[in-house]
Amino acid sequence: MPVWHLRGIILPGDEPGDVYVDGDRITFTPVPGAETIAEGGYLMPGLVDAHCHPGTSGIGEPLDEALLRAHGDELRAAGIAAVRVPGSAGRLPSWFGDDPSLPRVWGAGLAVAAEGGFFPGWGRPLPADRIPAAAVEESRASGGWCKLIVDWLTDDGGYAATMSAQVVAEATRAVRRAGGRVAAHSQHADGGTAAVAAGVDSVEHGMHLPERLLETMAAQRTALVPTAVTFARLAPLMEDPQVPVGTRTWFGEGWRRHPGLIRAAYEAGVTVLAGTDLPPGHLTDEIRWLAEAGLPADVAVGAASWTARGWLGLPGIEEGAPADILAFDTDPRSSLDALEHPSRVIVRGRLVR
């Protein structure tokens, strides 16, 4: 593979530097014969979509490997070098994540849910006594992560906890003993309270999450992944009178308070990460929403770059780090519009653009 040389301000810092990409590794040591492909702008660690579901065309649809590859190509072209898939429509094939031409992948197996507590045909709906063991199985099958659906829609159109606090705690402890990590889907106060009390690693979505939990989340390093762009697309649909009143009330109240919740989470010291949910590929929109909700621009950008990478254990632009770099002519922290126009995109050491 060719060796690339880039020079610019290395984000999230403000100091210029020379970066060399030799295969899928970054070095600051000059490499003879390296070709200079960027000079004088800004260099940012590759993007991370911390919550997406590639490979499916819609809710309840099965995993489609051809679509999975197409989504992977789209993500890479957008400079998204890593994705976390917290529960997939089917078991992800081994090539997704191993293919050096596609983003790096953190999977979570099939979502573990209570009976009747998830989309029909998706995940593993189980009796309460089988949930902890299943969570361990999914974390082992995925290489570390599992996902718990701790609350869900009710038959009358409302939303409620579907797992007891005891079950959530037992499952989390079991996964931790096995060396894994837990993501909790929550859009109800009771489910969110149970997830935070259990000490899960991340709360996904978080609508109706009580703000009194934020200091605990910060102290135990539970991240919050709001996936707001998905809710923004759903909001107009909730005006349809055919949608049950309970659903409209639950969604409307949660959506109205979501920006304030995310701002309060940041102010409390909670790690906020950017994720797009379904379909993937709208990460820059999520970054803009985070900024509009009140996060400083550099924090919003970091939620999809250096902060997300560090949370996953993936280095940024450092000596020996994996080679995921975006180059910009202008500072994306000062102008979020710049995120749409990288001059260079390198994913896994390969020059994409």
Side-chain angles (χ1 to χ4, degrees), residues 38-120:
E39 191 166 12
Y42 295 80
L43 307 179
M44 188 171 87
L47 293 170
V48 177
D49 190 331
H51 183 129
C52 67
H53 301 285
T56 185
S57 58
I59 292 172
E61 295 296 322
L63 186 72
D64 181 321
E65 290 201 24
L67 185 59
L68 182 64
R69 183 171 290 280
H71 280 159
D73 289 338
E74 292 170 9
L75 291 163
R76 178 197 59 190
I80 298 172
V83 295
R84 188 177 63 127
V85 185
S88 45
R91 298 207 178 277
L92 295 173
S94 59
W95 59 260
F96 189 65
D98 292 341
D99 189 330
S101 68
L102 297 176
R104 309 171 200 276
V105 178
W106 278 255
L110 303 178
V112 178
E115 291 178 308
F118 199 37
F119 295 117

Side-chain angles (χ1 to χ4, degrees), residues 28-308:
F28 299 131
T29 302
V31 179
E35 179 183 349
T36 300
I37 59 171
E39 191 166 12
Y42 295 80
L43 307 179
M44 188 171 87
L47 293 170
V48 177
D49 190 331
H51 183 129
C52 67
H53 301 285
T56 185
S57 58
I59 292 172
E61 295 296 322
L63 186 72
D64 181 321
E65 290 201 24
L67 185 59
L68 182 64
R69 183 171 290 280
H71 280 159
D73 289 338
E74 292 170 9
L75 291 163
R76 178 197 59 190
I80 298 172
V83 295
R84 188 177 63 127
V85 185
S88 45
R91 298 207 178 277
L92 295 173
S94 59
W95 59 260
F96 189 65
D98 292 341
D99 189 330
S101 68
L102 297 176
R104 309 171 200 276
V105 178
W106 278 255
L110 303 178
V112 178
E115 291 178 308
F118 199 37
F119 295 117
W122 273 15
R124 293 181 63 180
L126 296 165
D129 62 344
R130 294 179 55 193
I131 286 173
V136 172
E137 291 168 3
E138 294 305 318
S139 70
R140 286 174 171 164
S142 70
W145 279 92
C146 79
K147 183 179 183 181
L148 300 176
I149 309 296
V150 302
D151 44 41
W152 197 248
L153 290 162
T154 58
D155 292 339
D156 63 359
Y159 217 91
T162 52
M163 292 184 187
S164 69
Q166 180 181 358
V167 168
V168 178
E170 288 179 359
T172 301
R173 285 195 298 267
V175 171
R176 289 278 173 71
R177 286 195 298 268
R181 302 175 76 180
V182 179
H185 163 109
S186 177
Q187 301 189 86
H188 188 272
D190 292 344
T193 299
V196 173
V200 300
D201 295 276
S202 66
V203 172
E204 312 299 314
H205 317 303
M207 281 176 61
H208 294 282
L209 185 72
E211 290 191 13
R212 59 181 170 76
L213 302 176
L214 296 175
E215 289 187 4
T216 300
M217 290 176 66
Q220 66 193 23
R221 299 184 180 179
T222 297
L224 181 57
V225 192
T227 65
V229 288
T230 290
F231 298 128
R233 288 177 173 81
L234 288 175
L237 302 179
M238 291 296 161
E239 298 176 5
D240 187 339
Q242 295 186 7
V243 175
V245 173
T247 302
R248 278 186 281 157
T249 300
W250 157 74
F251 183 93
E253 292 177 354
W255 180 232
R256 281 191 294 273
R257 69 184 293 270
H258 214 41
L261 171 68
I262 302 311
R263 183 170 56 254
Y266 161 70
E267 292 171 350
V270 175
T271 297
V272 177
L273 302 176
T276 59
D277 206 357
L278 181 72
H282 310 284
L283 193 58
T284 54
D285 291 340
E286 184 74 7
I287 295 169
R288 288 191 185 91
W289 185 91
L290 292 174
E292 290 169 0
L295 270 62
D298 63 323
V299 176
V301 175
S305 179
W306 52 84
T307 301

